[in-house]
Amino acid sequence: RSHQRHFFNEESPAYQQLAIILRLRRDNLALRRGRQYLREISGNGIDFGLPRMLGDRIRSVIPWSRIFNGQEILLAMNTDYAAPRSAWVTIDDGLHQAGHTLTCLYSTNGGQIGQETTVESRNGKAVVLTIPAGGFVIYE
């Protein structure tokens, strides 16, 4: 009975945000075919490590990269639904030069889209990301 019928509310904020993310995925081969790498984080830019559970919860930035054909796209989510979180995030040392920038392609905080973060020589190469409370970002 659902054949050739559309049941999604295209005016809903969830539908609209998902449509944006899926459009980015469609337009970026690295988001569809790229290898995935969990990335190390740091609060101080010096001590880096993988995100981990503290007790029975994780309230942290969880970043990963998709790399395909020399292109890296950095994605991150904030598992803390109550507050935004910032962290240094390691990126591929061979694909980036210190001083170059990554641009925000998507954020659950629309005001971040288009903002840049500068690549620095930390733990190889790293950038600072700020992710909204319970949010998600994509940088290229």
Side-chain angles (χ1 to χ4, degrees):
R1 292 186 180 179
S2 63
H3 182 69
Q4 300 214 3
R5 294 184 186 209
H6 184 58
F7 292 96
F8 298 103
N9 176 1
E10 293 182 19
E11 303 304 315
S12 111
Y15 182 95
Q16 292 173 356
Q17 293 303 303
L18 188 57
I20 293 167
I21 294 168
L22 291 173
R23 190 173 317 113
L24 284 169
R25 183 180 183 274
R26 182 194 66 214
D27 295 343
N28 289 283
L29 192 57
L31 288 174
R32 295 191 315 275
R33 303 244 172 112
R35 296 191 68 140
Q36 297 188 70
Y37 300 92
L38 183 62
R39 293 300 186 188
E40 292 185 337
I41 59 173
S42 172
N44 62 13
I46 298 168
D47 304 307
F48 283 81
L50 294 174
R52 63 178 194 265
M53 300 279 286
L54 297 174
D56 64 340
R57 296 189 176 183
I58 185 167
R59 301 265 187 209
S60 179
V61 170
I62 300 178
W64 68 100
S65 291
R66 299 287 308 252
I67 298 177
F68 184 78
N69 199 26
Q71 176 190 20
E72 178 173 18
I73 297 184
L74 181 61
L75 307 95
M77 63 178 163
N78 177 3
T79 61
D80 185 346
Y81 57 85
R85 295 262 180 164
S86 294
W88 286 94
V89 177
T90 300
I91 56 177
D92 190 278
D93 189 38
L95 294 177
H96 303 280
Q97 299 294 320
H100 287 183
T101 59
L102 298 182
T103 303
C104 183
L105 301 178
Y106 175 81
S107 174
T108 48
N109 171 0
Q112 284 184 290
I113 297 171
Q115 290 183 358
E116 296 179 335
T117 185
T118 303
V119 176
E120 294 191 23
S121 294
R122 295 170 185 259
N123 199 39
K125 299 291 186 312
V127 294
V128 174
L129 297 184
T130 299
I131 299 98
F136 176 63
V137 297
I138 301 174
Y139 279 78
E140 177 182 33

